[in-house]
Amino acid sequence: MPMKTQILDATSDGIAAAAEILREGGLVAFPTETVYGLGGDARADRAVARIFDAKARPHFNPLIVHLPDLEAAALYAEIPDLARTLADAFWPGPLTMVLPLRPDAGLSPLVTAGLDTVAIRVPAHATARALLRAFGGPLAAPSANPSGRISPTRADHVMAGLSGRIEAVLDGGPCAVGVESTILGLEPGPVLLRPGGLPQEALEAALGQPLASGGNAAKPNAPGQLASHYAPEARVRLGVTTPQPTEVWVGFGPDCAQAPLTLSASGDLIEAAANLFHILRLADAQAGAGAGIAFAPIPEQGLGRAINDRLRRAAAPRP
């Protein structure tokens, strides 16, 4: 039987109410600088199982654990020197690191999909940080949308997909970054598992070396590695400069002035990343039955890598 999903304002009272729901084993969607996350107590098997159930998410796909700071992260994961260096540079922020799981971490094995590693991030969004402090523990929080569908960057996006399946949404307004966090593995060396809100170039500058690319769609060790993901109902084509009459064209840059929708009219990749999932939803709504969505080319640099990664997964054949 569907439950009533509350919308809580991002005030001290709303955050306190959200933290109490989480302590009682409930689920609360909350804003981060990247996308809205669906939070549950990462130590509680039932709460984590409910995240999977609410999202209809494959149980072999691990979850990211959100924590307020590096000190808290060290309670659940081993933090090698390289991870500390990167944390000092990029936490709080849109970087997730896959780290060795501490034997005494006490996390639900559903969070790690039974692996001996855990994906951890320290979000920068003020509301997320306030909620983590009020809750006082680790929150498992994948994106707050049905699994494989378009990620939510606003509270109404969450309600459209999960209303009646979770207890509450903490409304902190639109997300500033708009694509999920960058995920970095560190063993045996630094490897980019998922491009995201922290550009690859920034990581490479901090590391002083190029990043290898990795990830296994068949057996992921971090979220966002499934081949088909972020999928709208309509079919998606990429790199389109001349759309078909039945397609909704999404432009990028000043050469696409005729496009009815655009990720960024000026060709700004930061603006495009922030708009991506909202525009994808609008295009899907406009496409209607039997139509498609055509995206103009996006440069494969900076945040363009993350945008193209999400679009390739949206366009992939559905399982």
Side-chain angles (χ1 to χ4, degrees), residues 252-265:
F252 176 81
D255 292 339
C256 301
Q258 301 304 312
L261 297 172
T262 183
L263 293 177
S264 171

Side-chain angles (χ1 to χ4, degrees), residues 59-73:
H59 279 235
F60 55 78
N61 200 3
L63 304 179
I64 293 174
V65 174
H66 290 65
L67 290 160
D69 50 44
L70 179 60
E71 182 179 5

Side-chain angles (χ1 to χ4, degrees), residues 210-237:
L211 281 174
S213 295
N216 185 339
K219 189 177 180 181
N221 65 346
Q225 296 180 44
L226 298 179
S228 177
H229 208 48
Y230 317 106
E233 296 293 335
R235 59 179 175 78
V236 175
R237 288 201 308 137

Side-chain angles (χ1 to χ4, degrees), residues 119-143:
I120 289 183
R121 130 167 154 87
V122 175
H125 196 288
T127 299
R129 294 176 64 75
L131 177 63
L132 286 163
R133 288 193 296 269
F135 175 61
L139 286 181
S143 57

Side-chain angles (χ1 to χ4, degrees), residues 19 22-23 25-28 30 38-45 47-48 51 63-69 71-77 101 104-108 111-112 118-123 128 131-142:
L22 292 164
R23 281 191 287 270
L27 303 184
V28 177
F30 63 95
L38 178 56
D41 189 339
R43 301 161 297 191
D45 289 337
V48 178
I51 292 174
L63 304 179
I64 293 174
V65 174
H66 290 65
L67 290 160
D69 50 44
E71 182 179 5
L75 299 175
Y76 302 98
L101 181 69
D104 59 349
L107 298 177
S108 168
V111 169
T112 61
V118 59
I120 289 183
R121 130 167 154 87
V122 175
L131 177 63
L132 286 163
R133 288 193 296 269
F135 175 61
L139 286 181

